[in-house]
Amino acid sequence: MKKLRDYTGKSLQDCTILELYNAALELTQDACKDKGYNSGKKKVYYISAEFLIGKLLSNNLINLGIYDEVKAELAEAGKDITDLEEFEYEPSLGNGGLGRLAACFIDSLATLGLPADGVGLAYHCGLFKQSFEDNKQHARPDYWRKWGMANWMRRTDRHYKVQCGDLELVSTMYEIDVTGYGSKCGRLRLFDLDTVNERLIGSGIDFDKEEIEKNLTLFLYPDDSDEAGRMLRVYQEYFMVSNAAQLIIDECVERGSDLHDLADYAAIQINDTHPSLVIPELVRILAEKGIEEEEAYQIVTDVCAYTNHTILAEALETWPKHFFKAVVPHLMPIIKRMNDAVKAKYSDPSVQIIDGNGNVHMAHLDIHYSHSVNGVARLHTEILKNTELNNFYKLYPEKFNNKTNGITFRRWVVECNPELTELISEKIGEGWKTDAKQLEQLLSYAEDPAFLQCIVNRKNTEKKKFADWLYKYQGDKVDPESVYDVQIKRLHEYKRQQLNLLWAIDCYLHIKDGYRPRRPITVFFGAKAAPAYVIAKDIIHAILAFGKIVNNDPDVSPYLKVIMLRNYNVSMAEKLIPASDISEQISLASKEASGTGNMKFMLNGAVTLGTMDGANVEIAELVGEDNIFTFGQSSEEVIERYKRGDYVSKDWYKKNKRLQAAVDFLVSDEMEEAGDKKLLKQLYEELLKQDWFMTFPDFESYCKAKEKALAAYEDRMGWAKKMAVNIAKAGYFSSDRTIEQYNKDIWHLEKDC
Ligand code: NBG
């Protein structure tokens, strides 16, 4: 095994951080080459618009089994590996849970020895970088590839032609190695266009949306508030899947496929609807290669499987026919014929691919022409079957299945919480890192005061570390003795950061009235709002303005602080989750497909405060009611209420004085002084006139549940037991388990190990 010293050409002592970093990177890449890649006759291609992979160095060193050696070699030279970790810049290739799930999945695929590629786009700036000015979110481009991170991406000499109307684009494929834990590697294959020009970006994240050759891969989810922006998304999606389809066909032919038997060589997982056009694109290519279109439909159906990640209408993409006529005119006749085939079989207009208004429904295309349709948590899959996609479920009951999400334990505890990892391994050995069920053995220590004291001590150390880091990062001072109450996730009304905010306002008003919480509380928010999502930005604004008031009020701040974290990302989650006490998972029941943050918190000994939504339901079942705090309307009640259409937020406001006071505070003099009157009013009105995600009916039960959690926290040993049970029961949520299930039920790949 080579050492860092072999790559630096001089003593490590004399190296700059950059030189050390590059040496570690080369060492990693060589180690991957030595290990080789999982291979086999059949391979899964996991196509996704996002891969939120996080920093790579430490994760790779851990997976390759050389972290300790590298750390020791650096230490001998008086260097600290954490300086390299801090120096590393996080890739910007994803947005939220969907992309992080894809990243956890490729880790598990590699670890389990399954032949697999992640396939996506090599965005230049990915998701925007968030800053706060005047208590408002500002978006700037995240030039992550400029920061040495691009070195992780190998340029290959694979190029494909992608025809978009009159425009002929030529792609370049890049590769990032995906290390498996103690196994061979996998690959992430990302496509780009050499002509893309970052200089096209003007102020903030504005750019000329018409110049496709120059802008195609600049950003993930470019602003879609106008037609040009929406059209650009279609270009991106088609570029991604046309490359994927050509790659898949080429590779399968190389492995011996005659294309009629493509399903013996490839499985394609369509991650949400962004890659759906791979279906007609494959049909097109197969037909070009001489396969009858009817047969091509069957081949594609046998190859493709679709994962649904949301029931929110806005995320179930539909595109007007004229977009496709402009961007993919050669696919439109195929989509039309595929729709005709559907129409010939099923008369129900609601299941057609192209509706009466000429809109193409991507999910419908996926369901008809995939052999598997899965939801991402049990409740979510049931809602798909019985409500949202019921008309399809009636046609194809055999296609529907559930695959409850998971997370890779290598990143989400081994890497981010080494002290807890060590403690667990001291008690139950190392086996749990690849066989997560073994974590249950910890249950036998759930009554052991010495063990419980240890986990509390470790949590306290993490809290102190986070407080120190936070002060350096954004100048906020928090009390490590306070309860860390944490909500970190994309900003969306259905996730209900506004409910948490209303609670914090209520708490503030009580403190002003003389009430003293038993212990100080720090409420952390971390979230980016899509730049075109006005109310989401208003919620950020309200949190920031309120934070100013609370944190600067000497009567209040010793008891309550409200912190909005700037530019929340994977690296920050890795620091904060190990330090968290309460995990806020408070979406409106039925709306959060699964959630995966909830699993990360649990694994790190935070206790969930949540609604019975998404994977929270399964968490509750596993840990039992003593080890979770649940509240709020049930998904059935919510679905019923939507059906009746009789929710009037003002009625709830009128009958609850506490709620009234909290809501009114949004437009109080104090808030208007700290913030922007217009934006605050906009949020206030939204809540009073609409509140589409039913915050008000859950307010009272949320306050009660939070009060119960805070009271329980004071019984330190009782709380530690809850922590222990949560950690012990987290094994089910390993993405290794999820991937094993995908493979057993959908892909049927052979392991290369
Ligand atoms: C998200 C859901 C989460 C879920 C992740 C991963 C989208 C469209 N969906 O609940 O909101 O955990 O997908 O499945 O980002």
Side-chain angles (χ1 to χ4, degrees):
M1 184 71 220
K2 284 194 180 167
K3 295 193 150 293
L4 280 182
R5 177 72 183 75
D6 300 322
Y7 293 89
T8 54
K10 58 180 174 185
S11 117
L12 298 191
Q13 262 129 340
D14 301 333
C15 289
T16 61
I17 289 271
L18 177 64
E19 287 165 334
L20 291 172
Y21 180 75
N22 283 331
L25 188 142
E26 278 182 59
L27 175 77
T28 310
Q29 289 179 337
D30 280 352
C32 288
K33 243 188 258 152
D34 292 346
K35 290 234 166 198
Y37 299 92
N38 291 314
S39 60
K41 177 177 168 188
K42 186 170 183 182
K43 184 175 183 183
V44 61
Y45 296 87
Y46 193 90
I47 312 182
S48 176
E50 304 183 28
F51 286 92
L52 190 50
I53 51 182
K55 293 187 184 185
L56 294 173
L57 181 64
S58 291
N59 193 256
N60 282 338
L61 294 176
I62 289 171
N63 280 358
L64 292 164
I66 54 176
Y67 183 85
D68 290 337
E69 281 167 44
V70 171
K71 184 175 170 185
E73 196 192 343
L74 285 165
E76 251 169 56
K79 307 279 181 177
D80 190 342
I81 195 164
T82 48
D83 292 340
L84 269 67
E85 289 165 345
E86 286 301 311
F87 172 80
E88 184 172 4
Y89 198 85
E90 181 175 318
S92 185
L93 292 167
N95 176 17
L98 176 97
R100 186 51 236 175
L101 184 78
C104 286
F105 278 7
I106 53 177
D107 176 290
S108 285
L109 281 161
T111 301
L112 294 170
L114 295 168
D117 279 350
V119 184
L121 294 178
Y123 305 102
H124 287 241
C125 302
L127 194 72
F128 66 91
K129 209 167 167 175
Q130 180 193 53
S131 59
F132 301 133
E133 286 158 44
D134 297 333
N135 297 325
K136 288 176 205 137
Q137 166 177 293
H138 283 253
R140 284 180 291 128
D142 189 351
Y143 294 105
W144 70 278
R145 284 166 63 164
K146 293 238 160 81
W147 291 84
M149 281 311 292
N151 297 342
W152 289 99
M153 286 204 314
R154 234 181 351 256
R155 188 182 165 98
T156 69
D157 49 19
R158 205 180 267 274
H159 305 278
Y160 291 113
K161 282 190 190 143
V162 177
Q163 195 70 39
C164 299
D166 297 335
L167 204 62
E168 188 184 271
L169 306 170
V170 179
S171 70
T172 299
M173 189 178 83
Y174 291 83
E175 285 182 343
I176 298 180
D177 288 329
V178 179
T179 52
Y181 185 72
S183 64
K184 292 186 187 171
C185 302
R187 287 191 192 94
L188 182 54
R189 303 174 115 179
L190 302 173
F191 289 91
D192 195 8
L193 200 58
D194 287 351
T195 50
V196 166
N197 188 345
E198 291 167 18
R199 281 195 298 271
L200 205 65
I201 303 170
S203 81
I205 49 170
D206 290 342
F207 63 96
D208 181 345
K209 290 181 188 152
E210 315 271 343
E211 291 209 65
I212 302 301
E213 281 158 289
K214 295 189 184 163
N215 69 21
L216 186 73
T217 51
L218 281 177
F219 292 104
L220 164 67
Y221 304 140
D223 173 11
D224 62 351
S225 57
D226 58 18
E227 177 149 324
R230 284 194 291 279
M231 193 87 98
L232 174 55
R233 288 204 189 186
V234 179
Y235 276 106
Q236 286 189 327
E237 292 182 359
Y238 180 62
F239 181 73
M240 173 170 76
V241 302
S242 177
N243 279 298
Q246 295 181 64
L247 171 72
I248 293 166
I249 298 268
D250 276 2
E251 284 199 340
C252 289
V253 169
E254 272 166 39
R255 287 200 295 274
S257 169
D258 64 6
L259 298 183
H260 297 279
D261 58 1
L262 193 66
D264 297 336
Y265 290 82
I268 296 178
Q269 196 65 36
I270 299 178
N271 196 30
D272 230 36
T273 53
H274 317 112
S276 304
L277 281 177
V278 75
I279 290 174
E281 178 66 355
L282 271 175
V283 170
R284 184 187 71 80
I285 299 176
L286 289 172
E288 224 175 62
K289 305 226 178 242
I291 291 181
E292 292 288 326
E293 201 165 293
E294 287 288 313
E295 189 195 342
Y297 295 167
Q298 191 55 50
I299 296 174
V300 169
T301 308
D302 293 342
V303 168
C304 291
Y306 159 61
T307 305
N308 173 287
H309 292 268
T310 182
I311 63 163
L312 293 188
E314 75 205 41
L316 289 175
E317 291 177 304
T318 59
W319 299 113
K321 219 163 40 179
H322 72 269
F323 276 26
F324 282 3
K325 284 192 177 143
V327 183
V328 283
H330 51 302
L331 285 193
M332 206 48 226
I334 298 176
I335 297 173
K336 202 171 159 305
R337 286 196 293 276
M338 295 180 94
N339 188 43
D340 290 342
V342 167
K343 281 194 342 208
K345 260 170 108 181
Y346 310 114
S347 56
D348 178 358
S350 74
V351 301
Q352 288 167 18
I353 298 169
I354 307 172
D355 68 22
N357 300 321
N359 293 316
V360 186
H361 292 243
M362 306 314 279
H364 299 189
L365 180 66
D366 292 320
I367 301 170
H368 289 296
Y369 292 99
S370 294
H371 64 282
S372 162
V373 176
N374 76 281
V376 289
R378 199 173 63 215
L379 174 68
H380 169 59
T381 303
E382 287 307 307
I383 293 175
L384 292 180
K385 290 194 322 197
N386 302 328
T387 310
E388 294 303 313
L389 298 179
N390 182 253
N391 289 350
F392 291 92
Y393 178 58
K394 284 194 276 197
L395 305 182
Y396 308 113
E398 72 292 347
K399 290 192 185 184
F400 284 73
N401 63 92
N402 177 53
K403 297 286 168 282
T404 298
N405 282 342
I407 57 173
T408 166
F409 283 23
R410 272 76 62 180
R411 182 175 290 268
W412 292 110
V413 64
V414 177
E415 182 199 322
C416 75
N417 202 342
E419 274 85 20
L420 179 62
T421 300
E422 198 183 296
L423 177 63
I424 297 171
S425 295
E426 261 170 37
K427 293 289 171 202
I428 65 169
E430 305 273 338
W432 61 277
K433 294 178 187 170
T434 45
D435 177 14
K437 283 194 308 292
Q438 291 184 24
L439 274 181
E440 282 226 17
Q441 293 168 21
L442 280 181
L443 283 182
S444 53
Y445 299 94
E447 306 281 347
D448 172 354
F451 175 74
L452 296 181
Q453 192 56 54
C454 277
I455 53 176
V456 168
N457 292 347
R458 289 194 188 201
K459 180 67 78 182
N460 289 341
T461 311
E462 291 300 324
K463 290 170 76 169
K464 173 89 184 44
K465 243 166 59 188
F466 188 79
D468 293 345
W469 175 85
L470 180 69
Y471 181 62
K472 278 194 226 128
Y473 176 72
Q474 61 178 44
D476 284 315
K477 280 196 184 141
V478 299
D479 177 359
E481 300 275 313
S482 64
V483 181
Y484 282 18
D485 176 4
V486 183
Q487 187 171 20
I488 42 178
K489 47 184 82 250
R490 287 182 291 131
L491 210 134
H492 203 293
E493 288 164 280
Y494 87 80
K495 294 179 184 283
R496 301 198 300 187
Q497 282 92 349
Q498 68 276 28
L499 177 59
N500 196 349
L501 172 65
L502 289 176
W503 175 85
I505 295 176
D506 177 70
C507 181
Y508 162 84
L509 295 173
H510 278 78
I511 295 172
K512 282 302 223 188
D513 270 352
Y515 156 84
R516 296 284 169 261
R518 299 173 193 82
R519 176 189 296 267
I521 304 157
T522 309
V523 184
F524 292 96
F525 291 93
K528 289 182 185 174
Y533 188 175
V534 175
I535 292 296
K537 289 200 290 189
D538 291 346
I539 294 173
I540 291 185
H541 174 64
I543 293 171
L544 284 165
F546 180 62
K548 278 269 155 62
I549 297 173
V550 174
N551 303 344
N552 294 320
D553 184 333
D555 297 339
V556 180
S557 60
Y559 308 101
L560 175 68
K561 282 209 165 162
V562 174
I563 306 292
M564 181 87 211
L565 299 158
R566 167 168 45 86
N567 199 42
Y568 169 62
N569 60 9
V570 177
S571 318
M572 197 185 283
E574 287 176 28
K575 292 186 168 69
L576 181 51
I577 291 173
S580 299
D581 296 310
I582 296 179
S583 155
E584 296 270 353
Q585 308 299 336
I586 60 176
S587 54
L588 174 64
S590 77
K591 296 294 180 193
E592 187 70 273
S594 162
T596 44
N598 44 6
M599 302 167 187
K600 295 162 198 163
F601 279 107
M602 171 189 193
L603 176 60
N604 284 275
V607 180
T608 307
L609 168 57
T611 48
M612 286 301 251
D613 199 14
N616 295 353
V617 175
E618 286 158 82
I619 294 179
E621 202 173 281
L622 282 161
V623 300
E625 58 183 331
D626 290 346
N627 300 302
I628 187 168
F629 299 92
T630 60
F631 71 95
Q633 306 155 88
S634 68
S635 56
E636 290 92 339
E637 283 172 271
V638 170
I639 291 168
E640 262 311 300
R641 194 165 262 159
Y642 275 125
K643 236 189 242 161
R644 290 199 309 272
D646 63 358
Y647 173 57
V648 181
S649 63
K650 216 178 211 140
D651 294 347
W652 292 84
Y653 167 87
K654 278 190 205 138
K655 66 184 182 209
N656 184 335
K657 288 269 166 300
R658 230 173 129 180
L659 172 64
Q660 235 172 68
V663 175
D664 288 348
F665 190 78
L666 288 172
V667 287
S668 61
D669 294 345
E670 294 95 314
M671 281 293 274
E672 285 180 0
E673 200 178 307
D676 178 320
K677 203 168 162 170
K678 183 176 146 261
L679 302 184
L680 293 166
K681 180 92 177 166
Q682 210 162 259
L683 176 60
Y684 173 81
E685 303 251 302
E686 180 70 28
L687 287 171
L688 276 183
K689 293 194 178 143
Q690 165 103 308
D691 189 25
W692 181 247
F693 295 101
M694 303 180 192
T695 318
F696 292 179
D698 281 350
F699 177 74
E700 204 173 314
S701 64
Y702 178 53
C703 291
K704 279 197 187 128
K706 197 133 151 171
E707 176 55 31
K708 204 169 142 195
L710 293 169
Y713 189 86
E714 291 315 302
D715 168 10
R716 296 309 291 130
M717 282 302 108
W719 187 270
K721 187 175 166 198
K722 294 184 202 306
M723 293 168 69
V725 173
N726 271 277
I727 300 168
K729 290 288 187 179
Y732 179 71
F733 298 109
S734 162
S735 47
D736 296 346
R737 186 268 310 150
T738 316
I739 288 297
E740 289 278 18
Q741 291 179 336
Y742 272 92
N743 191 40
K744 182 168 156 287
D745 299 343
I746 307 172
W747 305 328
H748 314 296
L749 309 171
E750 264 177 52
K751 288 189 180 172
D752 179 17
C753 53

